[in-house]
Amino acid sequence: MALIGLEPDKLRALAADLGPTACWREADVRDGTALRSAIDDCAEIMGGVDFLVANAGVAAYGTVRQMDEASFDRVLDINLNGVFRTLKHTTPHLERTRGHVLVIASALSFMPLAGLASYGASKAGVEMLTLAYRQEVAHLGITVGVVHPSWIDTDLVRGAEADLPSFQGMREKLPYPGNVTTSVDEAAAAIVEGLARRRARVYVPRAVSVANWAKGAVNSPLTWRWARRFAAQLVPTLEREVEALGRHDQLTPGADKKPSATTPVAIRRQT
């Protein structure tokens, strides 16, 4: 297995835990040249790539009228453009092995939520990018799936709760499964099963699938009255908290400067 991402100390420690056959490279998904070099290096070390998990993701705070342009651009560049770069530079290796790809999108790919416009826009884009890519590489023997998690117990969710007191309250008021948090272990198990079975869709928890199939109703006039009331209660408090926080970019809990992000790429040979 190979890990590619930021935070080299964590990557080194995780690779050590995975055993002597694991490797890692530091690269930012915003830097296509560095990312391609890291992917090629790992593919050479492993002798090829059978599976890819594209998992880069960050969030930013604030509503559309409140957020600064740089923060919005950063979320789109990492979450959406980063997936594009990852897929582009891994495709030659996947073609050789007829491999399988899982791209991490979100339940917010099809469920808009006030205060998370940049994140939701990026994840909706990720879903469409992945579905188009699936069509483009099918003749190469590459299979492609999309993962739609709801809230996962990661730094991203914990950081938002620490920074914005209204965030946890907002989640608790959402209908199921929007009001539950899934453990990282459960999410990882679902992703591993999705790789092994070469699934086209993975939902975490599985109830998220209902929201996908019913997204026409979720985004229809039938639910608008509820959504409008919900947002009217949430947005003023959220905007005040973001204003008091004094920043829009999310930081890793306990850190002063480093943005929160998940490991962007995991690639491996089949065993």
Side-chain angles (χ1 to χ4, degrees), residues 108 111-113 150-151 169-180 226 230:
L108 295 182
M111 295 173 59
L113 192 59
S150 185
W151 311 108
M170 175 269 291
R171 295 199 298 125
E172 292 173 350
K173 294 177 182 177
L174 291 171
Y176 181 82
N179 57 1
V180 298
W226 175 86
F230 181 80

Side-chain angles (χ1 to χ4, degrees), residues 34 109 111 160 181 197 228 232 262:
S109 296
M111 295 173 59
T181 301
R197 296 180 179 273
R228 184 174 180 176
T262 51

Side-chain angles (χ1 to χ4, degrees), residues 144-209:
V144 181
V146 191
V147 182
H148 293 285
S150 185
W151 311 108
I152 307 298
D153 186 24
T154 61
D155 284 350
L156 191 151
V157 172
R158 290 193 297 271
E161 289 186 343
D163 287 335
L164 306 173
S166 64
F167 181 72
Q168 182 174 1
M170 175 269 291
R171 295 199 298 125
E172 292 173 350
K173 294 177 182 177
L174 291 171
Y176 181 82
N179 57 1
V180 298
T181 301
T182 304
S183 72
V184 172
D185 287 345
E186 290 176 284
I191 292 170
V192 170
E193 182 188 25
L195 288 171
R197 296 180 179 273
R198 300 176 81 101
R199 293 196 184 280
R201 296 275 187 174
V202 176
Y203 300 100
V204 186
R206 291 182 179 178
V208 173
S209 63

Side-chain angles (χ1 to χ4, degrees), residues 66-78:
Q66 185 180 37
M67 186 182 301
D68 62 64
E69 292 184 23
S71 295
F72 187 90
D73 288 344
R74 176 175 169 272
V75 171
L76 270 290
D77 197 24
I78 293 173

Side-chain angles (χ1 to χ4, degrees), residues 51-256:
F51 300 109
L52 166 70
V53 178
N55 189 43
V58 297
Y61 300 144
T63 58
V64 169
R65 69 170 181 168
Q66 185 180 37
M67 186 182 301
D68 62 64
E69 292 184 23
S71 295
F72 187 90
D73 288 344
R74 176 175 169 272
V75 171
L76 270 290
D77 197 24
I78 293 173
N79 295 9
L80 178 56
N81 298 345
V83 169
F84 160 74
R85 297 181 188 106
T86 300
L87 295 175
K88 177 178 177 63
H89 298 309
T90 314
T91 298
H93 304 290
L94 292 165
E95 181 181 1
R96 296 186 190 104
T97 62
R98 302 175 74 86
H100 184 65
V101 176
L102 280 182
V103 177
I104 311 301
S106 172
L108 295 182
S109 296
F110 37 79
M111 295 173 59
L113 192 59
L116 289 170
S118 61
Y119 188 82
S122 71
K123 292 302 185 177
V126 164
E127 181 184 30
M128 287 298 104
L129 170 65
T130 305
L131 295 179
Y133 176 75
R134 176 194 292 169
Q135 296 178 19
E136 294 172 353
V137 299
H139 72 286
L140 302 177
I142 301 171
T143 53
V144 181
V146 191
V147 182
H148 293 285
S150 185
W151 311 108
I152 307 298
D153 186 24
T154 61
D155 284 350
L156 191 151
V157 172
R158 290 193 297 271
E161 289 186 343
D163 287 335
L164 306 173
S166 64
F167 181 72
Q168 182 174 1
M170 175 269 291
R171 295 199 298 125
E172 292 173 350
K173 294 177 182 177
L174 291 171
Y176 181 82
N179 57 1
V180 298
T181 301
T182 304
S183 72
V184 172
D185 287 345
E186 290 176 284
I191 292 170
V192 170
E193 182 188 25
L195 288 171
R197 296 180 179 273
R198 300 176 81 101
R199 293 196 184 280
R201 296 275 187 174
V202 176
Y203 300 100
V204 186
R206 291 182 179 178
V208 173
S209 63
V210 176
N212 187 13
W213 291 111
K215 60 189 170 188
V218 169
N219 298 307
S220 74
L222 293 173
T223 60
W224 170 239
R225 292 179 64 183
W226 175 86
R228 184 174 180 176
R229 290 195 303 270
F230 181 80
Q233 296 171 358
L234 165 68
V235 168
T237 302
L238 176 68
E239 289 187 331
R240 286 194 296 270
E241 290 176 354
V242 172
E243 192 68 26
L245 189 64
R247 58 177 169 82
H248 299 103
D249 286 340
Q250 188 183 51
L251 305 181
T252 302
D256 294 326

